[in-house]
Amino acid sequence: MLVDTERRWANRKDRACRGVDTKVFFPDSGPAGHVPSTATSELWAAAKDICQNCPVLEECRRDTLGEDYGVWGGLDERERRRLRQALIREGRRWPKDKRLEWGKFLHDLRTPSGAPHYTRKVRMDWSQIRHLTGVPSVLGQELVAEYEEHLAAVKAERKTKVVDRPLPERTELPFPAKRGKRDLWVRHNGVVTDAFYKGESSDGRWIFVHIGVGRGHALKWIKAKDVRFHRDVPRYVISDKERAA
Ligand code: SF4
């Protein structure tokens, strides 16, 4: 798991900061980037000591890199800010599969279905994503662009993929030489069968037949090349009007 966006570990009863005064973890640290006061530094140090004995230290540190204030996972806000800056350089050196893994993760967060439930499944913006994952938006955008490019290439490749499979041979079934009991032979659904003549199209390209199908029968238009008469029948042209009816 890259990041647990639901922070399930926070529900653990044995996490070390449970019941500790929040002022220890979130003292007033002044404006971002300023050197903290001695009092703040002392409280941060006390909070970090508590974190060292926490059973979810690892998960907490992984999932709170984007937090702006206080001590989380044994790190104060200045340390997390430095780590986020370092992550931009680091991320650019990640191997391709790791970049794609992160790209997909961040890409999914940008879709309503991939966003965590507490966002009400609304597409997250880059500042929310930075806060949730710790990935600075400049790196996040690079990773998502790379993943989307990869996705497009995979789709294009799938579209043009050539699969070498032999096509089934079409065998023209021969008509029997003998006469049948009805008017004509019909090649239909891979068999030759005896059928009644019911008419034909004005250009003679289609023959209308009464044919046995399974245990029943049906009226069907069959291509003339798949029909062989074995009885003289009076020609009956079915007009377009009749066909529509
Ligand atoms: S690592 Fe620290 S901040 Fe995180 S849950 Fe444990 S005690 Fe709390």
Side-chain angles (χ1 to χ4, degrees):
M1 183 186 293
L2 297 176
V3 171
D4 177 1
T5 56
E6 310 286 339
R7 296 190 183 177
R8 277 165 282 229
W9 46 265
N11 298 324
R12 290 249 316 240
K13 287 195 173 55
D14 57 348
R15 69 180 160 85
C17 54
R18 205 174 185 101
V20 177
D21 187 347
T22 52
K23 279 189 198 139
V24 178
F25 281 82
F26 304 101
D28 181 8
S29 53
H34 278 222
V35 178
S37 66
T38 313
T40 299
S41 299
E42 281 171 3
L43 285 168
W44 278 356
K48 288 178 195 176
D49 280 348
I50 296 173
C51 290
Q52 292 319 306
N53 297 315
C54 182
V56 293
L57 172 64
E58 212 176 289
E59 293 90 332
C60 177
R61 186 172 287 187
R62 176 195 64 195
D63 298 342
T64 56
L65 185 61
E67 288 292 343
D68 290 312
Y69 300 106
V71 169
W72 294 86
L75 298 173
D76 65 48
E77 53 201 50
R78 289 161 63 89
E79 290 167 328
R80 284 195 305 276
R81 205 173 305 129
R82 279 199 292 272
L83 283 176
R84 290 198 297 268
Q85 282 307 310
L87 189 61
I88 300 176
R89 294 187 297 277
E90 234 177 77
R92 287 175 178 154
R93 291 196 300 266
W94 281 343
K96 190 171 168 89
D97 54 347
K98 187 167 178 180
R99 286 177 65 84
L100 290 178
E101 188 186 13
W102 269 98
K104 178 180 183 334
F105 177 65
L106 300 174
H107 169 271
D108 291 350
L109 285 177
R110 300 267 298 153
T111 64
S113 58
H117 71 87
Y118 53 79
T119 63
R120 295 177 188 273
K121 295 292 180 188
V122 171
R123 179 188 153 103
M124 300 180 84
D125 64 28
W126 281 109
S127 118
Q128 288 172 305
I129 289 181
R130 196 279 284 160
H131 183 256
L132 184 70
T133 64
V135 177
S137 47
V138 58
L139 175 62
Q141 288 176 40
E142 279 176 27
L143 295 170
V144 168
E146 193 172 322
Y147 170 70
E148 287 174 350
E149 215 171 275
H150 167 79
L151 207 60
V154 169
K155 273 188 193 156
E157 196 188 327
R158 218 178 274 152
K159 249 190 225 162
T160 57
K161 204 165 187 171
V162 176
V163 180
D164 192 12
R165 257 194 218 131
L167 292 169
E169 270 182 42
R170 185 174 157 76
T171 48
E172 288 281 306
L173 293 171
F175 292 112
K178 61 179 181 154
R179 294 168 72 89
K181 290 184 185 159
R182 301 180 176 104
D183 302 323
L184 39 79
W185 294 116
V186 171
R187 270 196 294 248
H188 178 61
N189 282 350
V191 292
V192 175
T193 185
D194 201 10
F196 289 111
Y197 171 78
K198 290 289 176 187
E200 59 194 84
S201 59
S202 55
D203 58 6
R205 290 172 59 214
W206 290 88
I207 312 293
F208 196 46
V209 300
H210 184 195
I211 190 173
V213 178
R215 289 190 182 168
H217 52 85
L219 290 166
K220 282 189 177 296
W221 284 99
I222 306 283
K223 276 188 182 162
K225 76 177 186 55
D226 290 319
V227 171
R228 167 79 54 85
F229 286 87
H230 51 67
R231 193 183 305 281
D232 275 342
V233 286
R235 189 165 180 249
Y236 177 67
V237 174
I238 302 179
S239 68
D240 288 347
K241 218 172 174 183
E242 272 181 280
R243 290 177 70 171

